[in-house]
Amino acid sequence: MMKFLVSDILPFGISSGQQTVADCIKEQLALADRVDIAVGYVSRAALMELDQLVSAGKIRHICLTIGMYYIEGMPERSYHTAMQINQRWQEAGIGEIRIVKPFKYHGKIYVFCHGKQPAAAIVGSANLGVLKPEASNRRQYESALFLTESEPLAEFAAHIALLNEPRCSDNIAAITDMPLVREMNTALSGLELVAQLPPSNVEFYKSCPSIFSFVLPLKVPCAAERHMDDGKHYTKSNINVCYAAPRNKRKSRDWYETQLTVGADVYRREGYPAKNQPFFVITDDGYYFKAHTTSDNNKQFSAVGDELIMGRWLKGRLAAAGLVCPVNDTQRDTERAGMITQEMLWEYGCNALIFKNTGQTALDADGIPLPVWFLSFAQQEDE
């Protein structure tokens, strides 16, 4: 049997008796007990959809092989989601997600087995994103062939088996040198007190010799500790202060609220900014705003004019990476799903802020020259 699969997109639409590529994939996932997929690209939404379909079906083995990212770089939201799903599949003993390494693989093959024998395959233009269309591919037309003949099925199955040999691919968790494409942090978009700089300017300040440099560790709980003492102890964490008692009992603290509290070993050192003396901050991802140090012993480090800016920069990056979802009402987040944990920072690859004086100055709105500091979200090296 051979059937032509299409997309249901106007002006073509879909004719009587036709089936969409996505519907056919979902139908076969529900029938199969073993599935092998090889595609060029995936999306976070499609990965999550596939994981749900696998959980809902009777699949005892699943292998997803992704072909383009080792050389091109993988979007970080998709990467972190793939890592989490891969871990679940491996712990359940049902499968894995693999990455092709020696070349860019652009094929799109879906093989469905009943028992150990291939029963059907879908071959065509559709990457995994067809399972859950988003704005970028909603009007992207796909076509494919659905096949059940034994001879081509055996060839497709053998092809994927070759692709999954160690010489061609590896489990995604074993790959440490695949480049990641950082997602845009939109939490700062449109804020009057924040500007964006072109990459060339960011690179200039990044390369400036350090006049003074400080490491600001981010103190957060591990996932298992989020509920210790009702989580109250960890609301004192500089990132998770949004879970502290609200200032107004009728209104929760904003999830983006942070208090970057600096230890005495830092603020007592030569060169640390004096209390209430403003300076400009340029972040490693190109944002530009005014900041200052406040409180006793100038131990609080925050943006000027908007206490949420620092949290929007820092926590917004973790949200953009798909590691946490912003919480609308922190008082109602009894599971503390929005609490930043050590595991999140570890997965993101950053656990501290690196704060350096560039030796440069810039004029503020009143024409006053202010020092320019460069702020990086980075990994603190073990001492």
Side-chain angles (χ1 to χ4, degrees):
M1 174 185 173
M2 183 169 67
K3 182 166 61 174
F4 183 49
L5 307 174
V6 294
S7 291
D8 187 5
I9 297 177
L10 294 175
F12 283 177
I14 191 166
S15 304
S16 176
Q18 282 189 315
Q19 189 176 26
T20 66
V21 180
D23 285 347
C24 189
I25 293 173
K26 293 176 183 179
E27 178 182 84
Q28 293 304 311
L29 281 168
L31 296 173
D33 51 24
R34 177 188 174 101
V35 180
D36 290 286
I37 300 172
V39 293
Y41 299 100
V42 300
S43 69
R44 180 173 184 262
L47 285 166
M48 295 171 66
E49 180 74 4
L50 177 62
D51 187 39
Q52 290 176 4
L53 292 168
V54 168
S55 298
K58 58 179 183 179
I59 294 172
R60 297 197 298 266
H61 170 87
I62 172 77
C63 183
L64 169 64
T65 305
I66 309 171
M68 298 294 286
Y69 293 136
Y70 185 76
I71 295 174
E72 289 190 355
M74 188 170 187
E76 59 180 347
R77 285 173 67 87
S78 297
Y79 172 77
H80 293 305
T81 302
M83 287 283 286
Q84 292 162 7
I85 292 173
N86 176 70
Q87 183 176 351
R88 282 199 297 273
W89 288 355
Q90 289 200 303
E91 289 176 351
I94 63 169
E96 63 175 333
I97 296 177
R98 300 182 68 84
I99 300 292
V100 177
K101 296 181 66 176
F103 48 77
K104 295 198 289 186
Y105 180 81
H106 203 242
K108 295 95 177 175
I109 302 174
Y110 303 74
V111 176
F112 308 92
C113 299
H114 300 166
K116 294 184 179 181
Q117 298 302 315
I122 297 172
V123 182
S125 67
N127 282 301
L128 195 69
V130 74
L131 287 179
K132 198 74 172 178
E134 299 178 288
S136 60
N137 68 336
R138 194 168 297 280
R139 292 286 298 171
Q140 184 168 300
Y141 198 94
E142 308 289 0
S143 61
L145 288 178
F146 171 72
L147 305 163
T148 58
E149 288 86 353
S150 59
E151 186 173 342
L153 289 182
E155 290 189 34
F156 294 140
H159 173 74
I160 294 181
L162 286 174
L163 200 62
N164 290 341
E165 290 183 355
R167 59 177 175 160
C168 287
S169 65
D170 202 351
N171 183 273
I172 188 171
I175 295 175
T176 58
D177 58 347
M178 181 168 61
L180 296 185
V181 179
R182 293 295 189 194
E183 306 280 356
M184 182 177 179
N185 175 13
T186 59
L188 288 168
S189 299
L191 294 186
E192 183 179 354
L193 299 176
V194 179
Q196 281 188 275
L197 297 180
S200 58
N201 289 33
V202 177
E203 191 59 35
F204 167 76
Y205 288 106
K206 181 180 180 180
S207 63
C208 285
S210 175
I211 306 301
F212 297 103
S213 182
F214 305 92
V215 177
L216 313 181
L218 300 177
K219 300 175 183 178
V220 296
C222 67
E225 295 172 325
R226 283 184 292 195
H227 294 281
M228 289 180 63
D229 191 26
D230 293 328
K232 293 178 182 178
H233 174 70
Y234 293 106
T235 62
K236 297 178 182 178
S237 156
N238 44 24
I239 297 183
N240 293 312
V241 71
C242 60
Y243 287 95
R247 299 183 182 91
N248 181 338
K249 291 184 179 180
R250 296 182 179 181
K251 186 177 181 181
S252 298
R253 289 177 181 247
D254 193 291
W255 182 76
Y256 286 109
E257 183 181 344
T258 63
Q259 288 181 0
L260 293 181
T261 304
V262 179
D265 59 328
V266 173
Y267 65 67
R268 288 176 178 168
R269 286 172 53 194
E270 180 186 2
Y272 193 75
K275 181 178 178 179
N276 291 327
Q277 293 187 11
F279 50 89
F280 284 116
V281 162
I282 293 174
T283 68
D284 57 355
D285 54 351
Y287 289 103
Y288 179 56
F289 52 86
K290 190 184 290 187
H292 60 176
T293 62
T294 62
S295 192
D296 296 338
N297 299 313
N298 61 333
K299 65 181 181 181
Q300 299 289 346
F301 173 33
S302 62
V304 173
D306 186 345
E307 63 180 8
L308 301 183
I309 286 176
M310 199 65 72
R312 287 182 174 276
W313 173 67
L314 185 59
K315 298 171 79 170
R317 287 175 65 158
L318 299 175
L323 294 173
V324 65
C325 290
V327 173
N328 291 327
D329 189 336
T330 51
Q331 288 189 78
R332 293 187 177 183
D333 183 20
T334 56
E335 295 300 315
R336 304 197 183 278
M339 185 172 277
I340 307 305
T341 65
Q342 292 175 13
E343 288 83 353
M344 291 178 191
L345 298 183
W346 177 84
E347 194 168 352
Y348 191 72
C350 301
N351 64 1
L353 303 182
I354 310 298
F355 185 47
K356 79 166 185 177
N357 188 326
T358 66
Q360 306 294 316
T361 60
L363 300 179
D364 68 4
D366 298 320
I368 300 173
L370 300 179
V372 176
W373 289 71
F374 192 78
L375 186 64
S376 302
F377 191 14
Q379 182 68 30
Q380 181 182 15
E381 299 297 332
D382 294 332
E383 296 183 357

